[in-house]
């Protein structure tokens, strides 16, 4: 039986991120990462995230020998900290079993070294840290931040990322789409063709732009300033979102997040976004950027999408210095 047929038979699917979880992975910063100049600051932020996660579910910390000594951790060599992109993508079936998909992570199109990060999943599986059916998908480059699932058959991604150089060439768009549906048990793939944040290393991960939420809601980054260099692309993205329909043929409920005021580091604009939030059991960890009015508005809007969850603000000004935010730093594991 091929993978696609088995997915149908077992009803394997990629669950939505708001479904119950048993744990979240953090890959810890250390002195041999790009965090070295601000290591104490980023570790403080990671401790804040870790405390909030551990209140609600199991916390898995991955760190090399000597790092995160004050944490219960799985000791493993790592290149960097972006668990969303090197972590397992986990399917569930109708009986609550897990299938652990281990895709190749190549530093967002060979921009950064990733050999150690690319070996984390197998080591965690062999050590019994995570359980399920291991599936070797290392012939295909796919980052967790590049896809979103509604849990009922639709996968969202961006053309800018999955069609970017040095990922899966010479595969055509139709071939990549077929691979996603085959592997993830999906009925369709929605490609977002516009939207990009200045300073983004990922070529437009969807988790920086558009997030699928309960009740067919799309929370997305907006830009209303014609003088902003991101304005045209984000306006085109918004227009495309208005045309999208659910599998039942209904329009999505759209909630537009504000655009943070530009944040610069050494003259370079950083890809600050309120869309990079982390959904937990009973809470949402929301990035903030020291901009009180915009931060409050973003938390209010995300709260509209998750009215039964607590909104927890996490100051992400340190994380954004390495061009990521909360969702990028974490990877969820669905509950059995």
């Amino acid at each position: 039986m091929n993978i696609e047929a088995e997915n149908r038979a077992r009803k394997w699917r990629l669950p939505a991120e708001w479904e119950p979880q048993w744990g979240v992975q953090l890959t810890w910063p250390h002195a041999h990462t790009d965090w070295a100049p601000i290591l104490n600051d980023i570790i403080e932020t990671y401790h804040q995230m870790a405390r909030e996660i551990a209140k609600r579910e199991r916390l898995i910390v991955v760190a090399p020998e000597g790092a995160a000594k004050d944490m219960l951790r799985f000791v493993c060599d790592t290149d960097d900290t972006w668990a969303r992109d090197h972590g397992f993508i986990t399917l569930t079936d109708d009986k609550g079993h897990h299938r652990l998909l281990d895709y190749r992570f190549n530093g967002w199109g060979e921009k950064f070294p990733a050999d150690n990060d690319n070996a984390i999943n197998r080591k965690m599986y062999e050590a019994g840290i995570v359980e399920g059916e291991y599936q070797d998908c290392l012939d295909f480059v796919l980052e967790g931040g590049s896809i979103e699932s509604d849990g009922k058959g639709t996968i969202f991604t961006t053309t800018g990322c999955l069609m970017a150089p040095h990922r899966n060439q010479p595969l055509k768009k139709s071939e990549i789409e077929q691979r996603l549906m085959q592997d993830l048990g999906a009925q369709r793939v929605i490609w977002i063709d516009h939207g990009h944040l200045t300073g983004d290393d990922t070529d437009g991960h969807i988790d920086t732009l558009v997030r699928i939420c309960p009740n067919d809601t799309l929370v997305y980054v907006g830009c209303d300033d014609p003088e902003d260099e991101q304005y045209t692309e984000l306006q085109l993205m918004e227009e495309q979102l208005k045309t999208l329909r659910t599998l039942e043929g209904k329009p999505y409920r759209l909630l537009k997040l504000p655009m943070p005021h530009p944040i610069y580091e050494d003259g370079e604009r950083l890809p600050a976004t309120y869309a990079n939030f982390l959904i937990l059991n009973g809470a949402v960890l929301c990035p903030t950027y020291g901009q009180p009015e915009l931060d409050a508005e973003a938390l209010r809007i995300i709260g509209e999408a998750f009215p039964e969850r607590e909104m927890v603000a996490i100051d992400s000004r340190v994380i954004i210095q390495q061009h990521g935010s909360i969702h990028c730093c974490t990877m969820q594991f669905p509950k059995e």
Side-chain angles (χ1 to χ4, degrees):
M1 182 181 291
N2 64 32
I3 293 173
E4 189 171 11
E6 185 181 354
N7 282 347
R8 289 196 300 268
R10 288 279 299 273
K11 298 184 179 178
W12 288 111
R13 65 186 181 91
L14 180 61
E17 290 188 18
W18 60 84
E19 295 183 39
Q21 304 167 20
W22 73 260
V24 170
Q25 176 182 334
L26 284 174
T27 304
W28 207 257
H30 57 85
H32 298 292
T33 63
D34 290 340
W35 295 112
I38 50 174
L39 189 58
N40 290 337
D41 293 335
I42 191 60
I43 286 177
E44 182 178 340
T45 302
Y46 264 65
H47 273 122
Q48 185 181 1
M49 290 192 290
R51 286 192 296 269
E52 294 296 339
I53 293 166
K55 288 178 186 178
R56 299 167 174 90
E57 52 199 89
R58 183 179 176 185
L59 172 65
I60 303 169
V61 172
V62 178
E65 189 67 47
K69 291 182 179 180
D70 58 338
M71 308 289 292
L72 182 63
R73 68 197 191 281
F74 173 63
V75 177
C76 179
D77 288 338
T78 65
D79 293 307
D80 216 321
T81 56
W82 308 110
R84 180 63 49 179
D85 297 335
H86 60 243
F88 278 118
I89 294 173
T90 307
L91 307 186
T92 59
D93 68 4
D94 56 343
K95 300 184 185 303
H97 301 134
H98 288 169
R99 172 174 281 172
L100 306 167
L101 307 186
D102 188 7
Y103 289 97
R104 184 157 56 94
F105 174 59
N106 72 345
W108 309 295
E110 301 175 354
K111 296 182 181 75
F112 303 97
D115 288 346
N116 286 323
D117 288 346
N118 210 39
I120 293 172
N121 290 340
R122 186 77 195 200
K123 291 177 180 178
M124 287 177 60
Y125 176 75
E126 291 175 349
I129 303 299
V130 291
E131 296 182 354
E133 297 180 17
Y134 177 89
Q135 182 171 320
D136 186 335
C137 301
L138 295 171
D139 63 325
F140 191 75
V141 174
L142 186 66
E143 300 123 24
S146 70
I147 55 173
E148 284 271 307
S149 173
D150 66 357
K152 52 186 181 181
T154 299
I155 300 296
F156 293 80
T157 191
T158 64
T159 306
C161 177
L162 265 63
M163 297 304 297
H166 307 294
R167 278 190 166 83
N168 287 302
Q169 287 80 11
L171 293 183
K172 300 175 183 177
K173 185 176 182 179
S174 60
E175 294 171 317
I176 292 174
E177 180 171 311
Q178 182 58 40
R179 178 66 185 260
L180 293 178
M181 290 193 295
Q182 167 192 295
D183 285 8
L184 305 178
Q187 298 180 48
R188 63 173 183 163
V189 176
I190 290 181
W191 295 81
I192 305 302
D193 297 317
H194 302 281
H196 180 77
L197 300 180
T198 302
D200 174 27
D201 291 326
T202 70
D203 301 305
H205 271 184
I206 195 161
D207 69 351
T208 68
L209 298 167
V210 182
R211 304 294 302 280
I212 180 67
C213 302
N215 303 313
D216 296 324
T217 298
L218 297 179
V219 174
Y220 67 99
V221 174
C223 182
D224 298 321
D225 179 6
E227 300 302 315
D228 192 309
E229 61 194 307
Q230 304 168 135
Y231 174 79
T232 300
E233 273 293 299
L234 292 177
Q235 287 287 313
L236 289 170
M237 184 184 79
E238 183 176 43
E239 291 305 310
Q240 182 181 5
L241 295 180
K242 292 176 181 178
T243 70
L244 300 181
R245 296 295 181 265
T246 67
L247 280 168
E248 295 76 28
K250 299 177 181 179
Y252 286 92
R253 176 193 182 204
L254 301 181
L255 296 177
K256 182 164 72 171
L257 292 165
M259 173 62 61
H261 297 309
I263 300 172
Y264 294 90
E265 180 74 17
D266 296 329
E268 176 188 21
R269 185 170 179 175
L270 303 178
T273 171
Y274 290 113
N276 206 251
F277 51 81
L278 171 67
I279 308 164
L280 297 175
N281 295 331
V284 181
L285 302 192
C286 304
T288 58
Y289 299 102
Q291 302 176 14
E293 291 186 6
L294 292 175
D295 291 347
E297 178 68 1
L299 264 68
R300 183 191 67 79
I301 291 168
I302 297 169
E304 282 190 41
F306 297 95
E308 298 180 358
R309 282 176 160 86
E310 178 186 5
M311 297 296 109
V312 179
I314 301 288
D315 190 327
S316 298
R317 284 177 287 183
V318 178
I319 310 176
I320 202 68
Q321 290 183 47
Q322 284 298 323
H323 300 197
S325 199
I326 299 168
H327 194 254
C328 302
C329 297
T330 55
M331 176 54 87
Q332 298 108 316
F333 291 92
K335 190 174 182 178
E336 294 181 353

